[in-house]
Amino acid sequence: FDWSQIEPQPGQYGWQAADAAVAAAQAARLPLVAVLDGSPAWARAAPDVTPIDNPLAPPQDPATFARFAAAFAERYAGRIHYYQVWDEPNVAPHWGARLIEPVAYAQLLQQAAAAIRGHDPDAVIVAAALAPTTDRGHSAIDEVYFLQRLKAAGAGTALDIVALQPFG
């Protein structure tokens, strides 16, 4: 569920496509794992908007994403049980024009998880699926090291499940 498509302007939500996806999954009796990802330009740091627009970059302030996650959970509580917070924060471009930083993702995860659980106490919080990589540099961090840093940052209490990518 692309945040930039659902909330293109602050506080202005367009739920039609998301409503249709949730309804279709329910009609097919398929449980959803809602992947909340993709930031609108208004929420991103300037280097993630110009010179190259990067809608995969995280928001400048994790609280803006937490507000979106709260609105999402309020709308779909009882219909969606699993909420994945972000996708592949261990590689560029999914972490924007900055160094890959597990501690910053931990802050995003913790704030979003609290916001989701505030509207859906039965929510299962899924940590972002990590991109398979053996790198440990500025634009990518291998999964094991990223998870170790995430745990050290105290994010373990915010999540229930760690997602894995089936490729690589």
Side-chain angles (χ1 to χ4, degrees):
F1 292 89
D2 187 341
W3 176 24
S4 65
Q5 298 298 311
I6 295 171
E7 188 184 11
Q9 296 299 320
Q12 296 178 4
Y13 297 98
W15 297 108
Q16 299 82 1
D19 286 348
V22 171
Q26 284 186 302
R29 296 183 179 179
L30 295 172
L32 277 175
V33 176
V35 180
L36 305 181
D37 191 27
S39 60
W42 60 263
R44 280 183 253 131
D48 293 318
V49 179
T50 57
I52 298 171
D53 189 45
N54 182 1
L56 299 175
Q60 184 169 354
D61 180 0
T64 59
F65 182 73
R67 283 191 293 275
F68 163 70
F72 189 93
E74 181 178 26
R75 186 168 189 90
Y76 298 113
R79 293 185 282 166
I80 292 178
H81 192 60
Y82 300 94
Y83 299 81
Q84 179 178 310
V85 177
W86 217 254
D87 190 44
E88 298 184 347
N90 66 319
V91 295
H94 291 269
W95 202 245
R98 63 191 55 76
L99 300 177
I100 304 300
E101 184 48 65
V103 173
Y105 173 67
Q107 293 169 347
L108 182 79
L109 175 64
Q110 289 166 321
Q111 289 188 37
I116 291 166
R117 288 182 174 133
H119 291 282
D120 186 354
D122 295 324
V124 176
I125 306 299
V126 181
L130 302 176
T133 182
T134 57
D135 292 343
R136 199 174 283 184
H138 298 297
S139 62
I141 294 178
D142 71 81
E143 308 93 307
V144 173
Y145 185 65
F146 191 93
L147 288 170
Q148 289 169 340
R149 298 271 320 276
L150 190 63
K151 183 179 177 191
T157 58
L159 62 94
D160 300 301
I161 297 173
V162 174
L164 298 173
Q165 297 284 20
F167 56 85

